[in-house]
Amino acid sequence: MKSFRITHITRFAVILLVACVLSGCRISYKLNGAAIDYNVYKTIYVSNFPIRAALVYPPLQQVFENELLDYVTRNTRLRTIDSPNADLQLEGEITGYSLSPQAVTENAYASRTRLTIQVRVRYVDNRNEGKDIDQTFSAYRDFDSSEMLTDVQDQLCSEIARELVELIFNATLGDW
């Protein structure tokens, strides 16, 4: 009885597989997430993103810029150039770096603290005027208030920078 059930299931799976192959259906995925016409767009200029926030963590600028350049390089075939005369431009500044208490305990102390980073981005499409974007993106991470910010700051900034870069990419080059 068991062998009949296994044989029956195997036969059904083979028939289903053959039916799919013979029907000619094809599944296609574009895995890079970019919606770029590489016949039109060949170059991109990514400027520096200086920190213009009231509270400053100096390594953040380099972490964010490196993450943005790496992400664009990994997910597009655009060539990065050091001139704003590129087909596409990404420029802006880090406008916010703030800490705020979140969960309050019964003795009125915060048990969680939120680190929020904001980045203003100006995306210029030099080939198609209607696609320009000037937008502020924000992301945050919460951490336990018993931890010192200096102990978790590097990791939190890296995580937030990655999230911000994905948001920026999807709104500009991803053309979602």
Side-chain angles (χ1 to χ4, degrees), residues 66-122:
N66 288 343
E67 186 67 36
L68 182 59
L69 275 171
D70 288 349
Y71 199 89
V72 168
T73 302
R74 280 191 322 265
N75 292 287
T76 72
R77 294 187 316 227
L78 296 171
R79 185 171 44 93
T80 57
I81 61 171
D82 292 331
S83 166
N85 296 327
D87 299 328
L88 301 167
Q89 294 173 242
L90 272 173
E91 46 193 10
E93 58 266 343
I94 299 167
T95 58
Y97 185 91
S98 62
L99 296 167
S100 58
Q102 293 305 302
V104 179
T105 63
E106 66 276 352
N107 56 5
Y109 290 108
S111 63
R112 304 283 296 161
T113 302
R114 176 168 291 171
L115 172 61
T116 304
I117 299 174
Q118 291 180 324
V119 178
R120 180 177 178 209
V121 174
R122 287 174 301 283

Side-chain angles (χ1 to χ4, degrees), residues 153-174:
Q153 193 164 224
D154 288 337
Q155 177 186 347
L156 296 174
C157 286
S158 291
E159 291 173 9
I160 294 170
R162 265 192 301 276
E163 182 178 340
L164 285 167
V165 165
E166 287 178 14
L167 291 170
I168 292 164
F169 184 88
N170 289 340
T172 56
L173 300 169

